Structure formats: C-alpha cells, structure tokens
Amino acid sequence: MLTFIKKPYRFAILYTFLLIGALSYVLLDTFVITKTIATVDESQLATQKETETGEITITTTTYEDDHIKISIQTMREYDTTFYVADIQVSDISYLKTALANDSYGRNIKETTSAMAEDKKAIFAINGDYYGFRNSGFVVRNGVVYRDTSNSAEALVIDENGDFRVIDEDSSNVNDLFEENVWQVFSFGPTLIIDSQIVVNASSEVAQSMTSNPRTAIGQIDELHYIVIVSDGRTDESEGLTLLELAEQFEKYGCSIAYNLDGGGSSTMYFNGEIINNPSNGRSEKEREVSDIVYIGY
Amino acid sequence: MSILGINQIRWKKTVIVYGVFVAFCMMVAYVYNLFGHGVHSNSMDYMFVYPLIGGSIFYGILGILTNHKVVRFSYYRIGYNLYNAGLATLTVRSFYQGVLEIAGASSTYLTTFMMIGGLLMVIGCLTMIIALLFKEE
C-alpha cells in the first residue's frame, strides 16, 4: 500500500479518477437519481367542505363559481411582462398543493401543468421545489413531510387561510402541526410583512443579483390572495428584482407576501393553459418541479 | 546533477503545476458563472484559493524554508501524495458547493468531502514534516 502511495504518477492518476467518479456520483445523486421517501396518502388529507361548484363562469382570464373566484391580469413594467392572479376562495381547502407523482422525496419531478392537469386544477403555480434541498419544513395539505430547519423564513398557511412567516430555527414543525397548519413553504425571502416591504434593492435569493423570472404569493384579506408570476431571462422580459416584486404586492394591498421558487421553475397555469412564458434563459420550456400550489376541488 | 538540484527542479515543477491548476479553477468558475444568470457563489469564485495557498504558496515557502533538502525522501513522497490528494478533494468540494449554491440545492456529501480532504491533508502534512525534519535512525 505504502509502496503504491509513494509512486509519483500512479497514485495521482488513480486518485484523480476516484475524485472524478465521486463527484459524478454526488452530482447524479443530488440532481438526477430519484429517491422516494413517502407517497401521498389521500386518506390523510383533510377533505374540503363543498364539492358542488354551482354555476361556473369561465373566460380566458377569469373563473368564477360558488366557492372560487379567479381573475388574471397581464401587466408590463420594468421591461418585464408579469401575470397577476387575484384569487378568492370560500374555504382554505380549495387552496391545495400537490407533489410530483404524488410522492415525497428527492428528484421526483413533473411539470407544473402535468401536475395541475392530473389534479384537475383550475389554477396552479410552481411551489418551493422542496426536492432540491435536504432541509426546510415541508407541510402539504396538513401532512408533515419534513421537519428539519433550513435556517430560513418559512411561509405558514393556517387552517383559516391566514398567512404568517416563521423562523424555522426557532420553530418546531410538530407544534405547527398541532395548530392545524395547512401548508408550509420553505423558500423565501419574505417580501412584505404587516403591509411593509421587507426586502431592498440588494435582497436576492442566494447570491443572485439580477432580475429573474419570479413566483410569489401574498394575502390581501381573509381568503383573498394575490399570486404574481413574472417572465424573465428573455429578450422580451428582463425579469423582476425582489424589490420590484414586493412593490407590486404592496400596490395590490397585500399585508404579507412571500417569494417561492423562481427562475426556470416559474410557471402559471390557468384553465388548461400555461399563462406565462417559462424560460431558463437558454430555452423556453416548462421546467419539471417537485411541487405545485393549486386552486381546485 | 546533484540531489539538491533535482529536488529544486521538482519543487519548482510542483509550484508551476499548482499555478496551472489555479488558472484552471479560475477558468472553470468564469465559464460556470456565464451560465449562472447572475447567481454567484463564493465557493465557486474562490475555489482557486485552495491550489493557490495550499499548493503554489505552500510548496514555495516549504522549499525556501527547507532549502529543498529532503531527509527521508520515501516518507516525503507519501506525505506529498496524500497532501495533494487532500487538497484536490477540498478543491472539488468547493466546486460542488458552488454548484449547489448556484442551483439553490443542498447536500450532505459536503461534510464527507470536507472530512476526507481535511484528514488526507493533515496526515500528508505531518508525514512531510517528519520526512523533512527527522533523520532516519
């Protein structure tokens, strides 16, 4: 063994190959290899109050029935096209989430539109892409899937449909579960708290300092929400900074707003169509993600 | 050529090879950043620091301090190989961390890379010190 280690080139060459092999494996394990940890048990999910929709009115930009009201506006500011969905529901059980392939795990992915079609969603956006990370609270439709902190702020949606932001490090997901929390998202940052913008021009996701496609959700009032998805990374649309995004939520009167996964993941689906132009900067193609937020029965 | 002269050449070669590796790391970070949509990672941007400080500067200073004299060459070679392997592991870890940060992902493998790289560097360094300072009985 020692004789082998002494060899000037043999050891170096062998170790280089070993290192390349190890790096290839961990990259595959991180980004490609699928690991299912749990499957969604429909019997665990809380049931919604009403499934009868009443009279439905649908146009290309609106949907309205007895329990759900959605209208979508296309806006143009900051050299960017973005889409604002105004959503009102009669009960929070109509605001749901879905996991790709109905499974919780790593690298389990489907497009937002495929998941939305599968769930017969009226409206859907990409979620927080929990499957890209090993930590960060994951509570979906009242079921706890992950209770490890990502040392970040998480968005909590309670059973009354009210939003609040918690610090994961100082929170226990089991305590949240006892409070009948409906959804918890771990991405961020928080854009607005108590009707005040809490990001500035230098606030960005990780180290990103440019405008990007974005997805974010905010609350105006009881069971009344705003969702904004922006295009970006294209010649037509530069994308929004977090401050610009927060300013839009402020304009619509949101008391709280939270940034979800963006970039190539940003997708808005409505009545069977993708509303925005998903782009990763190289191609305009809908990216597969691990979870969605949707409105439906 | 004397053994001292051969050692001087080897030392210089190591410093130069590490210099090339520094340039390679800088180039990889630059190219990766071109596709990062403005997302930067310090781990990626500064991964060249490992071969620069741990490689070129370390061997440069070691050569000057020891006047390129190796007392126990076989031990030195073992330490040298282990130290270099550790340094390479930490550099690859820095690259991997950069990829994760830019993608917004996380992984538990970072700790494994850190432990293996650190351990190899410490063992390699100690073995080199023994080889440079202590004469055979």
Side-chain angles (χ1 to χ4, degrees), chain A residues 73-129:
Chain A
Q73 280 181 288
T74 301
M75 310 291 287
R76 179 87 190 165
E77 273 185 63
Y78 315 109
D79 288 327
T80 300
T81 304
F82 56 94
Y83 311 87
V84 183
D86 187 308
I87 299 164
Q88 287 175 273
V89 289
S90 63
D91 187 89
I92 192 57
S93 60
Y94 300 115
L95 190 157
K96 302 181 192 188
T97 50
L99 306 182
N101 296 333
D102 279 330
S103 301
Y104 166 76
R106 183 119 189 175
N107 296 321
I108 302 169
K109 296 179 284 187
E110 273 188 280
T111 59
T112 298
S113 58
M115 279 187 267
E117 279 165 22
D118 185 45
K119 297 295 173 192
K120 298 182 173 57
I122 299 159
F123 172 89
I125 51 166
N126 59 291
D128 65 0
Y129 212 147

Side-chain angles (χ1 to χ4, degrees), chain B residues 58-72:
Chain B
F58 173 79
Y59 281 111
I61 292 171
L62 200 66
I64 293 164
L65 289 178
T66 59
N67 199 24
H68 308 104
K69 282 181 189 164
V70 177
V71 181
R72 299 166 81 172

Side-chain angles (χ1 to χ4, degrees), chain B residues 48-82:
Chain B
F48 72 89
V49 171
Y50 285 97
L52 179 67
I53 295 177
S56 293
I57 294 174
F58 173 79
Y59 281 111
I61 292 171
L62 200 66
I64 293 164
L65 289 178
T66 59
N67 199 24
H68 308 104
K69 282 181 189 164
V70 177
V71 181
R72 299 166 81 172
F73 188 77
S74 60
Y75 271 60
Y76 176 78
R77 177 54 78 177
I78 293 169
Y80 174 86
N81 280 343
L82 292 178

Side-chain angles (χ1 to χ4, degrees), chain A residues 206-266:
Chain A
Q207 289 74 31
S208 173
M209 296 302 289
T210 57
S211 302
N212 275 303
R214 305 280 184 190
T215 301
I217 188 166
Q219 183 178 17
I220 297 178
D221 205 349
E222 194 178 338
L223 299 171
H224 189 182
Y225 311 102
I226 290 286
V227 169
I228 297 179
V229 170
S230 78
D231 288 340
R233 297 178 181 171
T234 63
D235 293 338
E236 293 78 27
S237 280
E238 191 181 329
L240 297 179
T241 66
L242 289 174
L243 179 60
E244 290 163 350
L245 187 61
E247 284 168 352
Q248 291 304 316
F249 279 102
E250 186 185 44
K251 195 189 288 183
Y252 284 94
C254 286
S255 57
I256 183 167
Y258 185 83
N259 183 55
L260 294 169
D261 185 28
S265 302
S266 284

Side-chain angles (χ1 to χ4, degrees), chain A residues 19-34:
Chain A
L19 213 48
I20 291 169
L23 180 65
S24 304
Y25 172 75
V26 296
L27 285 172
L28 282 172
D29 191 55
T30 306
F31 298 110
V32 181
I33 299 170
T34 300

Side-chain angles (χ1 to χ4, degrees), chain A residues 101-160:
Chain A
N101 296 333
D102 279 330
S103 301
Y104 166 76
R106 183 119 189 175
N107 296 321
I108 302 169
K109 296 179 284 187
E110 273 188 280
T111 59
T112 298
S113 58
M115 279 187 267
E117 279 165 22
D118 185 45
K119 297 295 173 192
K120 298 182 173 57
I122 299 159
F123 172 89
I125 51 166
N126 59 291
D128 65 0
Y129 212 147
Y130 77 86
F132 225 38
R133 299 171 296 278
N134 291 323
S135 55
F137 294 172
V138 180
V139 179
R140 298 300 148 87
N141 302 330
V143 178
V144 178
Y145 290 99
R146 189 163 67 196
D147 59 4
T148 49
S149 167
N150 192 30
S151 300
E153 289 176 334
L155 174 69
V156 173
I157 304 177
D158 66 24
E159 61 177 353
N160 298 318

